[in-house]
PDB file of all heavy atoms in Angstrom:
ATOM      1  N   ASP A   1      95.810  90.930 108.986  1.00 95.00           N
ATOM      2  CA  ASP A   1      94.660  90.855 108.078  1.00 95.00           C
ATOM      3  C   ASP A   1      94.558  92.078 107.178  1.00 95.00           C
ATOM      4  O   ASP A   1      94.304  91.961 105.973  1.00 95.00           O
ATOM      5  CB  ASP A   1      93.370  90.687 108.884  1.00 95.00           C
ATOM      6  CG  ASP A   1      93.259  89.317 109.539  1.00 95.00           C
ATOM      7  OD1 ASP A   1      94.025  88.405 109.144  1.00 95.00           O
ATOM      8  OD2 ASP A   1      92.410  89.155 110.444  1.00 95.00           O
ATOM      9  N   ALA A   2      94.767  93.257 107.739  1.00 97.00           N
ATOM     10  CA  ALA A   2      94.677  94.477 106.945  1.00 97.00           C
ATOM     11  C   ALA A   2      95.782  94.518 105.882  1.00 97.00           C
ATOM     12  O   ALA A   2      95.548  94.923 104.740  1.00 97.00           O
ATOM     13  CB  ALA A   2      94.768  95.706 107.849  1.00 97.00           C
ATOM     14  N   GLY A   3      96.958  94.074 106.274  1.00 96.00           N
ATOM     15  CA  GLY A   3      98.075  94.049 105.338  1.00 96.00           C
ATOM     16  C   GLY A   3      97.851  93.077 104.199  1.00 96.00           C
ATOM     17  O   GLY A   3      98.155  93.385 103.031  1.00 96.00           O
ATOM     18  N   GLN A   4      97.304  91.908 104.508  1.00 96.00           N
ATOM     19  CA  GLN A   4      97.042  90.930 103.459  1.00 96.00           C
ATOM     20  C   GLN A   4      95.922  91.403 102.528  1.00 96.00           C
ATOM     21  O   GLN A   4      95.950  91.134 101.326  1.00 96.00           O
ATOM     22  CB  GLN A   4      96.687  89.575 104.077  1.00 96.00           C
ATOM     23  CG  GLN A   4      97.872  88.889 104.764  1.00 96.00           C
ATOM     24  CD  GLN A   4      99.028  88.605 103.820  1.00 96.00           C
ATOM     25  OE1 GLN A   4      98.896  87.858 102.850  1.00 96.00           O
ATOM     26  NE2 GLN A   4     100.186  89.206 104.104  1.00 96.00           N
ATOM     27  N   ALA A   5      94.962  92.120 103.070  1.00 97.00           N
ATOM     28  CA  ALA A   5      93.907  92.693 102.227  1.00 97.00           C
ATOM     29  C   ALA A   5      94.489  93.744 101.280  1.00 97.00           C
ATOM     30  O   ALA A   5      94.120  93.814 100.096  1.00 97.00           O
ATOM     31  CB  ALA A   5      92.816  93.309 103.100  1.00 97.00           C
ATOM     32  N   ARG A   6      95.407  94.556 101.803  1.00 97.00           N
ATOM     33  CA  ARG A   6      96.080  95.553 100.957  1.00 97.00           C
ATOM     34  C   ARG A   6      96.886  94.865  99.851  1.00 97.00           C
ATOM     35  O   ARG A   6      96.862  95.301  98.696  1.00 97.00           O
ATOM     36  CB  ARG A   6      96.997  96.407 101.832  1.00 97.00           C
ATOM     37  CG  ARG A   6      97.778  97.461 101.062  1.00 97.00           C
ATOM     38  CD  ARG A   6      98.779  98.148 101.987  1.00 97.00           C
ATOM     39  NE  ARG A   6      99.602  99.108 101.264  1.00 97.00           N
ATOM     40  CZ  ARG A   6     100.732  99.619 101.736  1.00 97.00           C
ATOM     41  NH1 ARG A   6     101.171  99.272 102.949  1.00 97.00           N
ATOM     42  NH2 ARG A   6     101.428 100.486 101.012  1.00 97.00           N
ATOM     43  N   LEU A   7      97.559  93.797 100.214  1.00 98.00           N
ATOM     44  CA  LEU A   7      98.356  93.057  99.231  1.00 98.00           C
ATOM     45  C   LEU A   7      97.453  92.452  98.153  1.00 98.00           C
ATOM     46  O   LEU A   7      97.771  92.515  96.963  1.00 98.00           O
ATOM     47  CB  LEU A   7      99.151  91.960  99.932  1.00 98.00           C
ATOM     48  CG  LEU A   7     100.067  91.109  99.042  1.00 98.00           C
ATOM     49  CD1 LEU A   7     101.148  91.961  98.410  1.00 98.00           C
ATOM     50  CD2 LEU A   7     100.695  89.976  99.849  1.00 98.00           C
ATOM     51  N   ARG A   8      96.328  91.899  98.570  1.00 98.00           N
ATOM     52  CA  ARG A   8      95.403  91.309  97.604  1.00 98.00           C
ATOM     53  C   ARG A   8      94.895  92.364  96.619  1.00 98.00           C
ATOM     54  O   ARG A   8      94.839  92.122  95.404  1.00 98.00           O
ATOM     55  CB  ARG A   8      94.229  90.649  98.331  1.00 98.00           C
ATOM     56  CG  ARG A   8      93.232  89.969  97.391  1.00 98.00           C
ATOM     57  CD  ARG A   8      92.073  89.325  98.154  1.00 98.00           C
ATOM     58  NE  ARG A   8      91.112  88.741  97.233  1.00 98.00           N
ATOM     59  CZ  ARG A   8      91.192  87.516  96.726  1.00 98.00           C
ATOM     60  NH1 ARG A   8      92.212  86.733  97.054  1.00 98.00           N
ATOM     61  NH2 ARG A   8      90.270  87.061  95.892  1.00 98.00           N
ATOM     62  N   ASP A   9      94.543  93.535  97.138  1.00 98.00           N
ATOM     63  CA  ASP A   9      94.055  94.601  96.264  1.00 98.00           C
ATOM     64  C   ASP A   9      95.133  95.011  95.258  1.00 98.00           C
ATOM     65  O   ASP A   9      94.840  95.249  94.082  1.00 98.00           O
ATOM     66  CB  ASP A   9      93.630  95.813  97.089  1.00 98.00           C
ATOM     67  CG  ASP A   9      92.328  95.581  97.843  1.00 98.00           C
ATOM     68  OD1 ASP A   9      91.603  94.629  97.492  1.00 98.00           O
ATOM     69  OD2 ASP A   9      92.048  96.350  98.790  1.00 98.00           O
ATOM     70  N   TYR A  10      96.375  95.091  95.734  1.00 98.00           N
ATOM     71  CA  TYR A  10      97.473  95.454  94.831  1.00 98.00           C
ATOM     72  C   TYR A  10      97.636  94.405  93.729  1.00 98.00           C
ATOM     73  O   TYR A  10      97.726  94.749  92.537  1.00 98.00           O
ATOM     74  CB  TYR A  10      98.783  95.607  95.607  1.00 98.00           C
ATOM     75  CG  TYR A  10      99.983  95.578  94.698  1.00 98.00           C
ATOM     76  CD1 TYR A  10     100.320  96.675  93.920  1.00 98.00           C
ATOM     77  CD2 TYR A  10     100.756  94.421  94.580  1.00 98.00           C
ATOM     78  CE1 TYR A  10     101.402  96.632  93.037  1.00 98.00           C
ATOM     79  CE2 TYR A  10     101.829  94.365  93.712  1.00 98.00           C
ATOM     80  CZ  TYR A  10     102.149  95.477  92.939  1.00 98.00           C
ATOM     81  OH  TYR A  10     103.202  95.416  92.071  1.00 98.00           O
ATOM     82  N   VAL A  11      97.676  93.120  94.101  1.00 98.00           N
ATOM     83  CA  VAL A  11      97.893  92.053  93.119  1.00 98.00           C
ATOM     84  C   VAL A  11      96.733  91.994  92.129  1.00 98.00           C
ATOM     85  O   VAL A  11      96.942  91.813  90.921  1.00 98.00           O
ATOM     86  CB  VAL A  11      98.103  90.700  93.817  1.00 98.00           C
ATOM     87  CG1 VAL A  11      98.138  89.558  92.794  1.00 98.00           C
ATOM     88  CG2 VAL A  11      99.397  90.715  94.626  1.00 98.00           C
ATOM     89  N   LYS A  12      95.507  92.183  92.611  1.00 98.00           N
ATOM     90  CA  LYS A  12      94.355  92.204  91.691  1.00 98.00           C
ATOM     91  C   LYS A  12      94.493  93.336  90.675  1.00 98.00           C
ATOM     92  O   LYS A  12      94.114  93.183  89.508  1.00 98.00           O
ATOM     93  CB  LYS A  12      93.057  92.342  92.482  1.00 98.00           C
ATOM     94  CG  LYS A  12      92.630  91.069  93.196  1.00 98.00           C
ATOM     95  CD  LYS A  12      91.436  91.314  94.115  1.00 98.00           C
ATOM     96  CE  LYS A  12      90.223  91.817  93.368  1.00 98.00           C
ATOM     97  NZ  LYS A  12      89.080  92.052  94.272  1.00 98.00           N
ATOM     98  N   GLY A  13      95.041  94.457  91.110  1.00 98.00           N
ATOM     99  CA  GLY A  13      95.278  95.557  90.181  1.00 98.00           C
ATOM    100  C   GLY A  13      96.297  95.192  89.114  1.00 98.00           C
ATOM    101  O   GLY A  13      96.150  95.571  87.943  1.00 98.00           O
ATOM    102  N   VAL A  14      97.327  94.434  89.500  1.00 98.00           N
ATOM    103  CA  VAL A  14      98.312  93.957  88.529  1.00 98.00           C
ATOM    104  C   VAL A  14      97.651  93.012  87.532  1.00 98.00           C
ATOM    105  O   VAL A  14      97.862  93.125  86.314  1.00 98.00           O
ATOM    106  CB  VAL A  14      99.497  93.265  89.237  1.00 98.00           C
ATOM    107  CG1 VAL A  14     100.425  92.601  88.223  1.00 98.00           C
ATOM    108  CG2 VAL A  14     100.268  94.263  90.093  1.00 98.00           C
ATOM    109  N   PHE A  15      96.841  92.089  88.041  1.00 98.00           N
ATOM    110  CA  PHE A  15      96.107  91.179  87.140  1.00 98.00           C
ATOM    111  C   PHE A  15      95.297  91.974  86.114  1.00 98.00           C
ATOM    112  O   PHE A  15      95.318  91.675  84.916  1.00 98.00           O
ATOM    113  CB  PHE A  15      95.165  90.281  87.937  1.00 98.00           C
ATOM    114  CG  PHE A  15      95.826  89.238  88.785  1.00 98.00           C
ATOM    115  CD1 PHE A  15      95.153  88.676  89.872  1.00 98.00           C
ATOM    116  CD2 PHE A  15      97.102  88.779  88.507  1.00 98.00           C
ATOM    117  CE1 PHE A  15      95.738  87.701  90.649  1.00 98.00           C
ATOM    118  CE2 PHE A  15      97.698  87.799  89.290  1.00 98.00           C
ATOM    119  CZ  PHE A  15      97.018  87.263  90.369  1.00 98.00           C
ATOM    120  N   ALA A  16      94.573  92.965  86.589  1.00 98.00           N
ATOM    121  CA  ALA A  16      93.702  93.739  85.704  1.00 98.00           C
ATOM    122  C   ALA A  16      94.509  94.500  84.656  1.00 98.00           C
ATOM    123  O   ALA A  16      94.063  94.649  83.510  1.00 98.00           O
ATOM    124  CB  ALA A  16      92.852  94.710  86.525  1.00 98.00           C
ATOM    125  N   ASP A  17      95.691  94.971  85.033  1.00 98.00           N
ATOM    126  CA  ASP A  17      96.531  95.712  84.088  1.00 98.00           C
ATOM    127  C   ASP A  17      97.179  94.805  83.049  1.00 98.00           C
ATOM    128  O   ASP A  17      97.328  95.183  81.888  1.00 98.00           O
ATOM    129  CB  ASP A  17      97.629  96.467  84.843  1.00 98.00           C
ATOM    130  CG  ASP A  17      97.102  97.674  85.597  1.00 98.00           C
ATOM    131  OD1 ASP A  17      95.960  98.086  85.328  1.00 98.00           O
ATOM    132  OD2 ASP A  17      97.841  98.188  86.462  1.00 98.00           O
ATOM    133  N   VAL A  18      97.582  93.605  83.462  1.00 98.00           N
ATOM    134  CA  VAL A  18      98.365  92.719  82.595  1.00 98.00           C
ATOM    135  C   VAL A  18      97.481  91.900  81.662  1.00 98.00           C
ATOM    136  O   VAL A  18      97.790  91.744  80.473  1.00 98.00           O
ATOM    137  CB  VAL A  18      99.257  91.789  83.449  1.00 98.00           C
ATOM    138  CG1 VAL A  18      99.868  90.686  82.591  1.00 98.00           C
ATOM    139  CG2 VAL A  18     100.355  92.594  84.145  1.00 98.00           C
ATOM    140  N   LEU A  19      96.376  91.392  82.177  1.00 98.00           N
ATOM    141  CA  LEU A  19      95.518  90.518  81.369  1.00 98.00           C
ATOM    142  C   LEU A  19      94.606  91.337  80.465  1.00 98.00           C
ATOM    143  O   LEU A  19      94.253  92.479  80.793  1.00 98.00           O
ATOM    144  CB  LEU A  19      94.673  89.627  82.275  1.00 98.00           C
ATOM    145  CG  LEU A  19      95.438  88.561  83.071  1.00 98.00           C
ATOM    146  CD1 LEU A  19      94.528  87.942  84.114  1.00 98.00           C
ATOM    147  CD2 LEU A  19      95.998  87.491  82.162  1.00 98.00           C
ATOM    148  N   PRO A  20      94.200  90.781  79.333  1.00 97.00           N
ATOM    149  CA  PRO A  20      93.237  91.484  78.475  1.00 97.00           C
ATOM    150  C   PRO A  20      91.936  91.787  79.226  1.00 97.00           C
ATOM    151  O   PRO A  20      91.546  91.071  80.143  1.00 97.00           O
ATOM    152  CB  PRO A  20      93.001  90.486  77.333  1.00 97.00           C
ATOM    153  CG  PRO A  20      94.239  89.653  77.288  1.00 97.00           C
ATOM    154  CD  PRO A  20      94.670  89.519  78.723  1.00 97.00           C
ATOM    155  N   LYS A  21      91.283  92.852  78.808  1.00 97.00           N
ATOM    156  CA  LYS A  21      90.038  93.276  79.446  1.00 97.00           C
ATOM    157  C   LYS A  21      88.996  92.159  79.383  1.00 97.00           C
ATOM    158  O   LYS A  21      88.801  91.518  78.352  1.00 97.00           O
ATOM    159  CB  LYS A  21      89.495  94.523  78.757  1.00 97.00           C
ATOM    160  CG  LYS A  21      88.289  95.138  79.447  1.00 97.00           C
ATOM    161  CD  LYS A  21      87.850  96.422  78.764  1.00 97.00           C
ATOM    162  CE  LYS A  21      86.646  97.036  79.464  1.00 97.00           C
ATOM    163  NZ  LYS A  21      86.218  98.300  78.807  1.00 97.00           N
ATOM    164  N   GLY A  22      88.347  91.901  80.516  1.00 97.00           N
ATOM    165  CA  GLY A  22      87.306  90.891  80.592  1.00 97.00           C
ATOM    166  C   GLY A  22      87.791  89.488  80.898  1.00 97.00           C
ATOM    167  O   GLY A  22      86.990  88.559  80.951  1.00 97.00           O
ATOM    168  N   TRP A  23      89.098  89.341  81.120  1.00 98.00           N
ATOM    169  CA  TRP A  23      89.649  88.000  81.352  1.00 98.00           C
ATOM    170  C   TRP A  23      89.692  87.589  82.821  1.00 98.00           C
ATOM    171  O   TRP A  23      89.946  86.425  83.119  1.00 98.00           O
ATOM    172  CB  TRP A  23      91.074  87.931  80.782  1.00 98.00           C
ATOM    173  CG  TRP A  23      91.122  87.627  79.316  1.00 98.00           C
ATOM    174  CD1 TRP A  23      90.231  88.007  78.365  1.00 98.00           C
ATOM    175  CD2 TRP A  23      92.133  86.885  78.633  1.00 98.00           C
ATOM    176  NE1 TRP A  23      90.618  87.551  77.131  1.00 98.00           N
ATOM    177  CE2 TRP A  23      91.787  86.859  77.273  1.00 98.00           C
ATOM    178  CE3 TRP A  23      93.306  86.245  79.036  1.00 98.00           C
ATOM    179  CZ2 TRP A  23      92.563  86.215  76.308  1.00 98.00           C
ATOM    180  CZ3 TRP A  23      94.089  85.615  78.087  1.00 98.00           C
ATOM    181  CH2 TRP A  23      93.723  85.591  76.737  1.00 98.00           C
ATOM    182  N   LEU A  24      89.500  88.500  83.755  1.00 98.00           N
ATOM    183  CA  LEU A  24      89.643  88.138  85.164  1.00 98.00           C
ATOM    184  C   LEU A  24      88.611  87.087  85.566  1.00 98.00           C
ATOM    185  O   LEU A  24      87.445  87.167  85.168  1.00 98.00           O
ATOM    186  CB  LEU A  24      89.491  89.363  86.051  1.00 98.00           C
ATOM    187  CG  LEU A  24      90.613  90.411  85.995  1.00 98.00           C
ATOM    188  CD1 LEU A  24      90.336  91.506  87.012  1.00 98.00           C
ATOM    189  CD2 LEU A  24      91.971  89.770  86.260  1.00 98.00           C
ATOM    190  N   PRO A  25      89.015  86.114  86.391  1.00 98.00           N
ATOM    191  CA  PRO A  25      88.075  85.092  86.854  1.00 98.00           C
ATOM    192  C   PRO A  25      87.241  85.600  88.014  1.00 98.00           C
ATOM    193  O   PRO A  25      87.396  86.743  88.469  1.00 98.00           O
ATOM    194  CB  PRO A  25      89.007  83.962  87.304  1.00 98.00           C
ATOM    195  CG  PRO A  25      90.223  84.677  87.805  1.00 98.00           C
ATOM    196  CD  PRO A  25      90.383  85.882  86.903  1.00 98.00           C
ATOM    197  N   ALA A  26      86.370  84.742  88.515  1.00 97.00           N
ATOM    198  CA  ALA A  26      85.566  85.088  89.679  1.00 97.00           C
ATOM    199  C   ALA A  26      86.474  85.362  90.879  1.00 97.00           C
ATOM    200  O   ALA A  26      87.599  84.863  90.964  1.00 97.00           O
ATOM    201  CB  ALA A  26      84.597  83.953  89.997  1.00 97.00           C
ATOM    202  N   GLU A  27      85.973  86.156  91.812  1.00 97.00           N
ATOM    203  CA  GLU A  27      86.753  86.561  92.978  1.00 97.00           C
ATOM    204  C   GLU A  27      87.296  85.355  93.746  1.00 97.00           C
ATOM    205  O   GLU A  27      88.437  85.382  94.240  1.00 97.00           O
ATOM    206  CB  GLU A  27      85.877  87.416  93.906  1.00 97.00           C
ATOM    207  CG  GLU A  27      86.586  87.954  95.131  1.00 97.00           C
ATOM    208  CD  GLU A  27      87.582  89.059  94.823  1.00 97.00           C
ATOM    209  OE1 GLU A  27      87.483  89.666  93.732  1.00 97.00           O
ATOM    210  OE2 GLU A  27      88.453  89.313  95.680  1.00 97.00           O
ATOM    211  N   ASP A  28      86.495  84.281  93.845  1.00 97.00           N
ATOM    212  CA  ASP A  28      86.945  83.120  94.611  1.00 97.00           C
ATOM    213  C   ASP A  28      87.931  82.249  93.831  1.00 97.00           C
ATOM    214  O   ASP A  28      88.390  81.224  94.344  1.00 97.00           O
ATOM    215  CB  ASP A  28      85.753  82.284  95.094  1.00 97.00           C
ATOM    216  CG  ASP A  28      84.947  81.680  93.950  1.00 97.00           C
ATOM    217  OD1 ASP A  28      85.189  82.035  92.769  1.00 97.00           O
ATOM    218  OD2 ASP A  28      84.065  80.849  94.230  1.00 97.00           O
ATOM    219  N   LYS A  29      88.286  82.644  92.622  1.00 98.00           N
ATOM    220  CA  LYS A  29      89.305  81.940  91.837  1.00 98.00           C
ATOM    221  C   LYS A  29      90.590  82.768  91.723  1.00 98.00           C
ATOM    222  O   LYS A  29      91.463  82.451  90.927  1.00 98.00           O
ATOM    223  CB  LYS A  29      88.777  81.601  90.436  1.00 98.00           C
ATOM    224  CG  LYS A  29      87.562  80.663  90.455  1.00 98.00           C
ATOM    225  CD  LYS A  29      87.895  79.331  91.105  1.00 98.00           C
ATOM    226  CE  LYS A  29      86.685  78.400  91.088  1.00 98.00           C
ATOM    227  NZ  LYS A  29      86.963  77.099  91.772  1.00 98.00           N
ATOM    228  N   ILE A  30      90.665  83.832  92.513  1.00 98.00           N
ATOM    229  CA  ILE A  30      91.879  84.639  92.600  1.00 98.00           C
ATOM    230  C   ILE A  30      92.531  84.341  93.946  1.00 98.00           C
ATOM    231  O   ILE A  30      91.940  84.577  95.002  1.00 98.00           O
ATOM    232  CB  ILE A  30      91.560  86.136  92.465  1.00 98.00           C
ATOM    233  CG1 ILE A  30      91.020  86.439  91.067  1.00 98.00           C
ATOM    234  CG2 ILE A  30      92.805  86.979  92.756  1.00 98.00           C
ATOM    235  CD1 ILE A  30      90.589  87.885  90.876  1.00 98.00           C
ATOM    236  N   TYR A  31      93.736  83.808  93.896  1.00 98.00           N
ATOM    237  CA  TYR A  31      94.433  83.364  95.103  1.00 98.00           C
ATOM    238  C   TYR A  31      95.695  84.194  95.295  1.00 98.00           C
ATOM    239  O   TYR A  31      96.589  84.190  94.448  1.00 98.00           O
ATOM    240  CB  TYR A  31      94.803  81.882  94.993  1.00 98.00           C
ATOM    241  CG  TYR A  31      93.621  80.977  94.726  1.00 98.00           C
ATOM    242  CD1 TYR A  31      93.263  80.641  93.417  1.00 98.00           C
ATOM    243  CD2 TYR A  31      92.861  80.468  95.771  1.00 98.00           C
ATOM    244  CE1 TYR A  31      92.181  79.819  93.163  1.00 98.00           C
ATOM    245  CE2 TYR A  31      91.764  79.639  95.527  1.00 98.00           C
ATOM    246  CZ  TYR A  31      91.436  79.325  94.213  1.00 98.00           C
ATOM    247  OH  TYR A  31      90.363  78.505  93.961  1.00 98.00           O
ATOM    248  N   VAL A  32      95.768  84.914  96.407  1.00 98.00           N
ATOM    249  CA  VAL A  32      96.939  85.722  96.737  1.00 98.00           C
ATOM    250  C   VAL A  32      97.457  85.262  98.093  1.00 98.00           C
ATOM    251  O   VAL A  32      96.737  85.328  99.092  1.00 98.00           O
ATOM    252  CB  VAL A  32      96.601  87.224  96.766  1.00 98.00           C
ATOM    253  CG1 VAL A  32      97.840  88.037  97.147  1.00 98.00           C
ATOM    254  CG2 VAL A  32      96.060  87.680  95.413  1.00 98.00           C
ATOM    255  N   ASN A  33      98.676  84.771  98.109  1.00 97.00           N
ATOM    256  CA  ASN A  33      99.275  84.206  99.319  1.00 97.00           C
ATOM    257  C   ASN A  33      98.305  83.251 100.033  1.00 97.00           C
ATOM    258  O   ASN A  33      97.905  83.493 101.178  1.00 97.00           O
ATOM    259  CB  ASN A  33      99.737  85.309 100.277  1.00 97.00           C
ATOM    260  CG  ASN A  33     101.050  85.934  99.830  1.00 97.00           C
ATOM    261  OD1 ASN A  33     101.535  85.663  98.731  1.00 97.00           O
ATOM    262  ND2 ASN A  33     101.638  86.756 100.680  1.00 97.00           N
ATOM    263  N   PRO A  34      97.919  82.181  99.372  1.00 95.00           N
ATOM    264  CA  PRO A  34      96.919  81.283  99.961  1.00 95.00           C
ATOM    265  C   PRO A  34      97.361  80.597 101.252  1.00 95.00           C
ATOM    266  O   PRO A  34      96.508  80.094 101.988  1.00 95.00           O
ATOM    267  CB  PRO A  34      96.652  80.266  98.843  1.00 95.00           C
ATOM    268  CG  PRO A  34      97.789  80.383  97.894  1.00 95.00           C
ATOM    269  CD  PRO A  34      98.272  81.787  97.986  1.00 95.00           C
ATOM    270  N   THR A  35      98.680  80.604 101.555  1.00 91.00           N
ATOM    271  CA  THR A  35      99.108  80.052 102.846  1.00 91.00           C
ATOM    272  C   THR A  35      98.810  81.007 103.992  1.00 91.00           C
ATOM    273  O   THR A  35      98.825  80.603 105.151  1.00 91.00           O
ATOM    274  CB  THR A  35     100.616  79.737 102.851  1.00 91.00           C
ATOM    275  OG1 THR A  35     101.337  80.945 102.595  1.00 91.00           O
ATOM    276  CG2 THR A  35     100.962  78.691 101.828  1.00 91.00           C
ATOM    277  N   GLY A  36      98.581  82.278 103.683  1.00 90.00           N
ATOM    278  CA  GLY A  36      98.263  83.257 104.717  1.00 90.00           C
ATOM    279  C   GLY A  36      99.312  84.335 104.831  1.00 90.00           C
ATOM    280  O   GLY A  36      99.031  85.520 104.688  1.00 90.00           O
ATOM    281  N   LEU A  37     100.585  83.960 105.084  1.00 92.00           N
ATOM    282  CA  LEU A  37     101.679  84.919 105.212  1.00 92.00           C
ATOM    283  C   LEU A  37     102.879  84.414 104.408  1.00 92.00           C
ATOM    284  O   LEU A  37     103.050  83.210 104.204  1.00 92.00           O
ATOM    285  CB  LEU A  37     102.097  85.107 106.674  1.00 92.00           C
ATOM    286  CG  LEU A  37     101.049  85.658 107.651  1.00 92.00           C
ATOM    287  CD1 LEU A  37     101.626  85.695 109.064  1.00 92.00           C
ATOM    288  CD2 LEU A  37     100.579  87.044 107.226  1.00 92.00           C
ATOM    289  N   PHE A  38     103.714  85.342 103.968  1.00 96.00           N
ATOM    290  CA  PHE A  38     104.927  84.982 103.225  1.00 96.00           C
ATOM    291  C   PHE A  38     105.984  86.045 103.527  1.00 96.00           C
ATOM    292  O   PHE A  38     106.412  86.790 102.671  1.00 96.00           O
ATOM    293  CB  PHE A  38     104.621  84.919 101.729  1.00 96.00           C
ATOM    294  CG  PHE A  38     105.721  84.345 100.863  1.00 96.00           C
ATOM    295  CD1 PHE A  38     105.536  84.238  99.488  1.00 96.00           C
ATOM    296  CD2 PHE A  38     106.931  83.923 101.383  1.00 96.00           C
ATOM    297  CE1 PHE A  38     106.518  83.729  98.668  1.00 96.00           C
ATOM    298  CE2 PHE A  38     107.932  83.401 100.580  1.00 96.00           C
ATOM    299  CZ  PHE A  38     107.726  83.314  99.209  1.00 96.00           C
ATOM    300  N   GLU A  39     106.384  86.100 104.787  1.00 95.00           N
ATOM    301  CA  GLU A  39     107.390  87.074 105.205  1.00 95.00           C
ATOM    302  C   GLU A  39     108.796  86.498 105.084  1.00 95.00           C
ATOM    303  O   GLU A  39     109.727  87.193 104.680  1.00 95.00           O
ATOM    304  CB  GLU A  39     107.106  87.520 106.645  1.00 95.00           C
ATOM    305  CG  GLU A  39     107.992  88.662 107.113  1.00 95.00           C
ATOM    306  CD  GLU A  39     107.648  89.099 108.532  1.00 95.00           C
ATOM    307  OE1 GLU A  39     106.489  88.925 108.966  1.00 95.00           O
ATOM    308  OE2 GLU A  39     108.561  89.611 109.218  1.00 95.00           O
ATOM    309  N   ILE A  40     108.952  85.225 105.437  1.00 95.00           N
ATOM    310  CA  ILE A  40     110.250  84.548 105.324  1.00 95.00           C
ATOM    311  C   ILE A  40     110.334  83.933 103.938  1.00 95.00           C
ATOM    312  O   ILE A  40     109.523  83.089 103.572  1.00 95.00           O
ATOM    313  CB  ILE A  40     110.407  83.450 106.393  1.00 95.00           C
ATOM    314  CG1 ILE A  40     110.255  84.038 107.794  1.00 95.00           C
ATOM    315  CG2 ILE A  40     111.756  82.749 106.247  1.00 95.00           C
ATOM    316  CD1 ILE A  40     110.127  82.990 108.877  1.00 95.00           C
ATOM    317  N   GLY A  41     111.301  84.369 103.149  1.00 96.00           N
ATOM    318  CA  GLY A  41     111.393  83.875 101.776  1.00 96.00           C
ATOM    319  C   GLY A  41     112.798  83.937 101.248  1.00 96.00           C
ATOM    320  O   GLY A  41     113.765  84.126 101.989  1.00 96.00           O
ATOM    321  N   GLY A  42     112.908  83.809  99.927  1.00 97.00           N
ATOM    322  CA  GLY A  42     114.222  83.806  99.302  1.00 97.00           C
ATOM    323  C   GLY A  42     115.053  82.627  99.755  1.00 97.00           C
ATOM    324  O   GLY A  42     114.529  81.645 100.298  1.00 97.00           O
TER     325      GLY A  42
END
């Protein structure tokens, strides 16, 4: 849980940097790893 919270904070920071100011949606419309975990990939 702590790791996924850290990941969410990081991704939200990327969103804020990349998108124009004022474009971010509501918190409940930001989805980061909605399945829960994504360790096995590629």
Side-chain angles (χ1 to χ4, degrees):
D1 290 345
Q4 290 300 298
R6 179 187 177 196
L7 181 63
R8 182 180 177 86
D9 287 343
Y10 163 76
V11 172
K12 285 172 60 180
V14 172
F15 290 158
D17 287 346
V18 169
L19 292 169
K21 187 176 180 180
W23 276 34
L24 291 184
E27 183 72 19
D28 64 351
K29 298 299 181 182
I30 295 176
Y31 304 92
V32 179
N33 282 9
T35 60
L37 298 177
F38 189 180
E39 187 178 333
I40 302 169

